[in-house]
Each structure stands twice: as C-alpha cells, then as structure tokens.
Amino acid sequence: NAGVTQTPKFQVLKTGQSMTLQCAQDMNHNSMYWYRQDPGMGLRLIYYSASEGTTDKGEVPNGYNVSRLNKREFSLRLESAAPSQTSVYFCATRDWGRIEAFFGQGTRLTVV
Amino acid sequence: ELKVEQNPLFLSMQEGKNYTIYCNYSTTSDRLYWYRQDPGKSLESLFVLLSNGAVKQEGRLMASLDTKARLSTLHITAAVHDLSATYFCAGPYSGAGSYQLTFGKGTKLSVIP
C-alpha cells in the first residue's frame, strides 16, 4: 500500500522550462491538494480538487495549473518556471469521511 | 479565511526540560491538527483534536484545544533528542465547497543533549 506517491522526488529546471509534477494515491480519497513549502512560510495551498472533475485555486495559484486526471491522480504543471517557484511541493489527500490529510513524500524543485 | 499563528517559530531546549508550543487561529473552528516533519521528510499526523477541551497524549507530547480562546497547545515533557523536528498546527475551513487546511509557519524544535 503506497499511499500518496509523488514523482519526481527531485528536479532542476532552467527558467522558462515547463514540467509536470505527478501525484497518485491508492487510498480511494476524494479530495486532493497541492501545497508548496518554503522556509519560514509553512505550507501554502496552491490548488485543490474536492472531487474528481473539480479543481479550485488556493492561496498561491499564480504560475501553476492543475489537472485532476481521475480519482487517483492530480498533477501540477508549471508552464514557464521561475526562480520564485523553487520550493518543496507536497501533494495531500483526504477522504470526505475522514478527518486527517495524508501527505506524499514531496518533490524538491529548483529553478535556476 | 482562517489564519493560523504559531509561536515560537524556533525553539532550542535541553534534554529533560519542558516546554509548550502555542497555536492561535483566527476564526471559529472545532478542530485542530498537529503534524510533525523531520528534515527532508514529509508531514506525519500527530494529533487530531476534535472538540473544545480535547486533550491527546502520545509519549512525551500532549496536545490540547480551547475553541473559545481559539488556542491549541503542544506540550513537551522531559524532551529527548528524538523529538527534534518541525511541528505544524493546522486548522480547517470550508472554501468553495471544499475542506481545506491552513497551516501555521511551523515551530522548529531542536533538543540539545
């Protein structure tokens, strides 16, 4: 039982390049979330998907797009990466009937 | 919108000492979460506090919730080095038909032998 799996774990991009961060869960949870973590800032919500077929902006959505491909997968896309997007990105999931959110292992992204 | 404030943000303490981390939040909420994060790792759920007056304990950590004061505390008893980590509190709110978590900035705890 893998839980929440993020790929890749590490990535270095050049400014202007694009990439997609993948998140897949095998917990059959309805809601999925993308957070970024920066030193001294805690975790900030980028986008979330309450259920398959829906997505909504969080606190810091600019520069990102998301796709809820199916119930299991929620991807985060950077169309034109900027150094300000250097961060650690976490995917999380939550089931409507549960209280807690469960986190993936994170993707450490550096934009140079 | 829910705002969550933790203090202190950095805490260096000696083994064997006691200390408390505070988490204040801005709007009414009947639940509060505590997470632990080790360096380079993901977040691990520690406590889920579901009602006013809730108290939960695990080992040397005890969390409590006072919804009237909008305050949660994480108390560390007789700290040991293994407790060194960053601790986050998070509060829920419902936005745009979904349930979201707002996190505090975290308290980085260093326990010195």
Side-chain angles (χ1 to χ4, degrees):
Chain A
N1 186 352
V4 183
T5 302
Q6 291 182 233
T7 54
K9 289 186 170 48
F10 301 93
Q11 184 71 48
V12 178
L13 287 179
K14 293 183 179 179
T15 298
Q17 286 186 316
S18 62
M19 80 160 294
T20 300
L21 282 64
Q22 307 285 356
C23 177
Q25 52 110 353
D26 61 4
M27 307 175 82
N28 202 34
H29 286 177
N30 293 294
S31 299
M32 299 185 74
Y33 307 82
W34 277 107
Y35 288 90
R36 62 177 288 173
Q37 183 179 27
D38 302 294
M41 299 295 291
L43 277 79
R44 293 181 292 171
L45 184 64
I46 305 171
Y47 270 94
Y48 64 97
S49 171
S51 61
E52 185 179 354
T54 69
T55 61
D56 284 290
K57 296 179 181 179
E59 181 185 356
V60 288
N62 291 344
Y64 305 95
N65 286 299
V66 291
S67 295
R68 183 75 183 266
L69 303 171
N70 48 54
K71 190 172 185 180
R72 290 187 63 247
E73 298 171 287
F74 188 37
S75 62
L76 179 71
R77 183 160 178 84
L78 287 72
E79 291 290 352
S80 179
S84 60
Q85 295 178 303
T86 294
S87 187
V88 180
Y89 292 85
F90 286 100
C91 175
T93 72
R94 181 183 166 270
D95 190 38
W96 291 346
R98 294 287 303 267
I99 301 296
E100 301 153 81
F102 295 85
F103 285 80
Q105 291 302 304
T107 295
R108 188 173 296 272
L109 175 67
T110 302
V111 183
V112 298
Chain B
E1 181 183 342
L2 178 68
K3 294 190 187 302
V4 179
E5 289 190 4
Q6 284 181 242
N7 69 83
L9 298 182
F10 298 93
L11 177 55
S12 180
M13 55 191 298
Q14 288 187 315
E15 280 191 332
K17 298 293 187 183
N18 304 332
Y19 208 84
T20 300
I21 299 170
Y22 297 89
C23 176
N24 291 275
Y25 53 96
S26 62
T27 62
T28 302
S29 176
D30 63 354
R31 58 193 61 185
L32 198 287
Y33 306 82
W34 285 95
Y35 285 86
R36 168 180 172 146
Q37 185 181 37
D38 292 305
K41 304 293 186 182
S42 186
L43 279 79
E44 172 191 356
S45 177
L46 281 177
F47 300 110
V48 179
L49 303 168
L50 294 177
S51 60
N52 186 40
V55 177
K56 290 199 172 180
Q57 183 162 6
E58 172 112 8
R60 301 174 186 272
L61 299 177
M62 184 174 71
S64 66
L65 179 61
D66 181 342
T67 59
K68 294 179 182 178
R70 299 179 186 168
L71 172 67
S72 181
T73 60
L74 181 65
H75 187 72
I76 303 152
T77 301
V80 293
H81 181 67
D82 286 351
L83 291 179
S84 296
T86 299
Y87 294 86
F88 292 93
C89 63
Y93 75 97
S94 295
S98 178
Y99 179 99
Q100 302 173 35
L101 282 180
T102 296
F103 284 81
K105 293 184 177 182
T107 297
K108 185 173 182 179
L109 172 65
S110 298
V111 181
I112 303 165

